[in-house]
Each structure stands twice: as C-alpha cells, then as structure tokens.
Amino acid sequence: MLFPIFVREGSSRKRYKAGYIDRRGRVVVDPIYDHAYPFREGLASVRSNDLWSAINLRGEVVVPPVSAGPLAFTEGLTEYRVKGKVGVLDRQGHTVVAPLFKSISHFSGGLACFTSGELYGFMDNNGRQVIPPFFEDARAFSEGLAAVKSSGKWGYISPTGAMAIEARFDCAQSMAGPFRHGLARVASDGKWGYIDRTGAFVILPQFEMAYEFREGIADVQLQKRRGYIDTSGKLIVPASFLWGKSFSEGLASVSVGSGKAHSSVAEACEVGFIDRSGAFVLRPQFLAAGRFQGGVCLVETQKDIGYINRSGEFVWKNGWVEFGDFDPLHLLPPAQS
C-alpha cells in the first residue's frame, strides 16, 4: 500500500509536488506530479499539466493522461472527463463508454448511475442502458439498492429498476444515503434517521444530519455538534464536537473547536483522534486530519504536513502545504487499496 505525499516547492504553501510513500515513510514514487489521489484497486490517479492519469504500485503509468478529472476505480472501471462530458475507462485506459454523459457514478454490482439531460438512469459495465433515464436524481447502488428521487421524494430501486422502497422520504437539499451495514440514512419531517432494506425505520428520525455507517458506527449531528451512534441508534459518543469524520481502523478524527474565528494557526490546531468509547487516543493538536489506513494517517500541524502512526509519531513529514481535500474518495465504498 502506498500513500500520497505533498512536498512544498519554495516558501509558498500553495506550491507543491506530489508523490507516494510506503507505510514506513520511504519514498517509492518521487514527487513529480501536480496532485495525487489515494490508491484504489491497486491504481492511483495523478495529475500533470491539468490532465489526470493512473499509476500502479511501481509508479508506472498504466492509464495515460486523458481525463480532465481524477480517476477513481471501482470494479475495474472509472469515469473520465473530456471537454465537460463523462465516459468510462478500464484499467488499461481503454474506452468502455464514450464521453457523452453529464455524469457517471462509480460502478457497484456491475451498474452505474448516469445523467442524460436532466434525468438519471443506470448503465451496465458495457455501457448498455439497463434502466432508462427516468429519475429526477439518483445515486450508485449499495448493498443491492440504489437511492432515487421521484416526484420530489427519495426511495430505493432494485437492479431491475423496480421500486424496492417507496419514494416517500423528503431529504430537502441533501440526498438519501447509500446502504452500509444494512442501514441507510434518510430524512422525514426535517430530521434524519436510518431505515433497513424493507424501508422501515430502525433508528427513528431525530438528528439534524446523519452520515454513513463505517465499522458499525456513524457520525450524527445534534444541536450543531457531532457525535457517534452504533447500529442500534445508541449514542455511544456524545455530540460534543465541532465536526468528526467516520471511524477507520478503530479511530476517528474530531475537532473540539467552537467554530469561531481564530487569531493564529496554532490556536486552530483543535483536531485529535478518539476511540470507539469517545476517549482521546491522540489529544487535539492537529490543524486537520484524514482517516487511518494501513496504520498511518495524513495530518497537518502548524508547521508540517505528513503521516503519523497510531502513536502520533510522524513516519514522514514536510513543510505545510494547502493541498485540498483530505478524503477525496469518501463518497465511494470502502476499499482496501
């Protein structure tokens, strides 16, 4: 497993080059790229001169720079963007679906959601439209069901296109969530809860916002603060944080901040890591943080950006840069690579 690094160029925090290290902090792919994404399915997307390509774990380019957007593989396929239109590539960079669509989701169970005009449908992994564009909005399949919007309400369909859960959930400006651990987040009367695959509420709507389950735990919002519940709906970590990310390898990064403006960068270092009981394993000391994977996690401090181990020790670091999203693939299903 390799991890993207961001190496400052000169004194500017906005100028950097990206490469990859192994979990011991050894540079495996030299920082020669303008940006880099985490690995998925043994491939990672890198950007040079405004175009994205994909490399393997040896740093070899296996998909040439062809896309105006990053490549994120699921089930051996990825969307790619050319002149504002989206198509699909395989792991060798061969075109599976020509770039003719407004959007194409990741593939799950051999199906992906696409947008044609203003409507959403589903295609198979050969590009054949198996569910015609009919829905007002839609998301990729997860655990065999896909969230779709019809007549202003959200429900779920099966891979045949038949409604499996009636479209009756009003998610306002958000969307119904994917199924994780057999549960999906939906809203009713302005509150969020979780339904099972029959559409019945297992966790009643009571949250200002709710997020996907990972490792049997989901983060939820109550009174504008973030906490965590288990799959029974029990609040196992009180809603006391400004924000919190999902659990990964038993830890979650959280912010103890108030949300008010800070007078210095040091004052803004309010992020630490908690365990499943809510106890701090690593005290608040980071400016920002991602999720643990392979025993390491990308963090920012007042002066540095780098990877720490579970003890909070840096295995690699460099001068702090502003590189963007810590979790660019968080909406995709969990992956091992």
Side-chain angles (χ1 to χ4, degrees):
M1 188 179 299
L2 300 180
F3 309 92
I5 57 172
F6 308 92
V7 179
R8 183 188 291 187
E9 287 192 308
S11 58
S12 173
R13 295 199 308 268
K14 298 183 181 295
R15 294 182 55 201
Y16 61 87
K17 289 293 185 182
Y20 291 85
I21 58 170
D22 63 19
R23 70 183 64 192
R24 296 183 180 180
R26 298 177 298 194
V27 176
V28 177
V29 179
D30 290 332
I32 60 174
Y33 297 104
D34 296 334
H35 198 49
Y37 263 36
F39 272 83
R40 280 186 66 89
E41 299 188 354
L43 298 177
S45 189
V46 293
R47 189 185 75 216
S48 296
N49 299 321
D50 297 324
L51 287 178
W52 292 83
S53 58
I55 62 172
N56 61 22
L57 289 164
R58 294 185 294 275
E60 300 164 337
V61 176
V62 295
V63 178
V66 294
S67 177
L71 309 174
F73 285 87
T74 57
E75 300 185 356
L77 299 172
T78 180
E79 66 172 89
Y80 78 109
R81 185 173 296 274
V82 177
K83 296 181 179 179
K85 297 293 185 178
V86 177
V88 177
L89 298 175
D90 64 16
R91 291 174 60 88
Q92 290 73 45
H94 301 141
T95 297
V96 177
V97 178
L100 301 172
F101 297 90
K102 182 178 178 180
S103 69
I104 301 176
S105 74
H106 65 271
F107 280 84
S108 175
L111 298 175
C113 174
F114 69 88
T115 313
S116 179
E118 298 301 318
L119 297 177
Y120 292 73
F122 292 82
M123 66 174 67
D124 65 18
N125 51 18
N126 292 312
R128 184 171 64 95
Q129 297 184 21
V130 295
I131 301 175
F134 170 79
F135 303 104
E136 299 161 11
D137 203 344
R139 291 300 179 266
F141 277 87
S142 56
E143 299 184 3
L145 296 175
V148 297
K149 188 178 184 181
S150 180
S151 300
K153 304 287 188 180
W154 285 87
Y156 292 82
I157 61 170
S158 72
T160 67
M163 291 300 302
I165 299 174
E166 178 189 356
R168 64 180 188 273
F169 304 107
D170 185 1
C171 298
Q173 301 303 310
S174 189
M175 65 196 75
F179 274 88
R180 300 280 187 262
H181 293 267
L183 301 175
R185 60 179 182 87
V186 295
S188 178
D189 295 327
K191 295 291 186 180
W192 290 80
Y194 294 84
I195 58 171
D196 63 16
R197 293 173 56 85
T198 71
F201 273 105
V202 175
I203 302 173
L204 294 177
Q206 58 193 285
F207 307 110
E208 296 164 8
M209 180 52 72
Y211 300 89
E212 286 70 44
F213 277 92
R214 288 184 185 240
E215 300 187 357
I217 299 175
D219 45 320
V220 295
Q221 184 170 303
L222 286 166
Q223 297 181 338
K224 299 183 179 180
R225 305 295 286 186
R226 200 76 66 89
Y228 294 85
I229 61 171
D230 63 17
T231 53
S232 73
K234 179 183 177 182
L235 193 66
I236 59 174
V237 178
S240 59
F241 304 110
L242 178 63
W243 58 256
K245 293 184 177 177
S246 62
F247 273 81
S248 178
E249 300 185 357
L251 300 177
S253 58
V254 296
S255 172
V256 297
S258 65
K260 297 179 180 179
H262 301 99
S263 59
S264 67
V265 174
E267 191 178 281
C269 292
E270 302 168 324
V271 178
F273 290 83
I274 60 171
D275 63 17
R276 295 169 65 95
S277 73
F280 275 101
V281 175
L282 298 174
R283 64 176 177 80
Q285 59 190 286
F286 305 107
L287 183 63
R291 295 181 178 90
F292 272 90
Q293 185 182 24
V296 298
C297 181
L298 185 62
V299 299
E300 288 181 357
T301 69
Q302 182 181 359
K303 297 180 179 179
D304 300 310
I305 183 172
Y307 284 88
I308 58 170
N309 59 25
R310 292 175 64 90
S311 298
E313 302 163 333
F314 277 98
V315 299
W316 178 91
K317 66 179 179 179
N318 197 267
W320 174 38
V321 296
E322 297 176 7
F323 77 100
D325 192 355
F326 267 77
D327 298 295
L329 303 177
H330 70 283
L331 293 178
L332 273 65
Q336 298 301 313
S337 61

